[in-house]
C-alpha cells in the first residue's frame, strides 16, 4: 500500500545564510596601505593582474573586455558585499586606481 504525498517538505529559514556585508574599507581609503596605493596609481594593470590571480582567476582577465567589472562583481558576490553592477561600473570607470586598491585590500583582509 502506498501513501500519497500531500505536502512537500519546506526549507526552514535557517537553510541559507544570506548575511550582507560591506566593503571592509572605503573606496577612498587608498592611503591606508601605501604600497597598494602606489601600485594602483603608477601600475594599475599590474595590480589588476595580481588581484585576478589572488582571486583565483587567470592573470590575463583584466585585459579582457569587461574583465575588471566581472572581477569586482564576482568579489561582491563571493563575499556577499552590498552593491550593484552599476556601482561596480561607476567605481571602475571613474575611480579605477581607488577601486583596484579597495579590491586588493578586501582580498588581503578576507584571505
Amino acid at each position: 500500500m502506498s501513501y500519497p504525498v500531500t505536502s512537500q517538505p519546506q526549507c526552514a529559514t535557517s537553510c541559507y545564510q544570506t548575511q550582507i556585508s560591506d566593503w571592509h574599507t572605503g573606496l577612498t581609503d587608498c592611503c591606508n596601505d601605501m604600497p597598494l596605493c602606489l601600485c594602483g596609481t603608477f601600475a594599475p594593470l599590474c595590480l589588476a593582474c595580481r588581484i585576478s590571480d589572488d582571486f583565483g582567476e587567470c592573470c590575463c582577465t583584466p585585459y579582457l573586455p569587461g574583465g575588471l567589472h566581472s572581477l569586482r562583481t564576482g568579489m561582491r558576490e563571493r563575499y556577499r558585499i552590498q552593491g550593484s553592477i552599476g556601482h561596480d561600473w561607476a567605481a571602475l570607470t571613474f575611480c579605477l586606481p581607488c577601486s583596484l586598491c579597495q579590491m586588493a585590500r578586501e582580498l588581503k583582509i578576507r584571505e
Side-chain angles (χ1 to χ4, degrees):
M1 175 176 237
S2 64
Y3 297 98
V5 175
T6 59
S7 66
Q8 294 291 327
Q10 299 295 317
C11 179
T13 57
S14 63
C15 283
Y16 298 101
Q17 295 292 333
T18 57
Q19 287 186 340
I20 304 281
S21 65
D22 287 323
W23 294 95
H24 280 93
T25 59
L27 189 61
T28 58
D29 291 340
C30 295
C31 294
N32 289 354
D33 189 333
M34 195 52 69
L36 279 178
C37 178
L38 294 172
C39 188
T41 302
F42 297 110
L45 282 177
C46 291
L47 180 58
C49 289
R50 191 178 111 195
I51 291 167
S52 181
D53 190 50
D54 290 347
F55 193 62
E57 295 293 333
C58 175
C59 66
C60 296
T61 301
Y63 293 101
L64 299 173
L68 284 175
H69 296 90
S70 64
L71 278 174
R72 186 169 174 90
T73 302
M75 190 177 293
R76 262 193 326 94
E77 291 297 316
R78 180 182 292 179
Y79 299 128
R80 302 200 189 304
I81 297 172
Q82 285 184 338
S84 68
I85 293 173
H87 289 126
D88 295 338
W89 178 85
L92 287 165
T93 301
F94 299 113
C95 306
L96 178 65
C98 294
S99 182
L100 290 173
C101 290
Q102 182 185 39
M103 292 165 65
R105 288 190 309 269
E106 193 71 25
L107 282 174
K108 188 187 271 190
I109 290 169
R110 297 214 184 225
E111 295 183 13

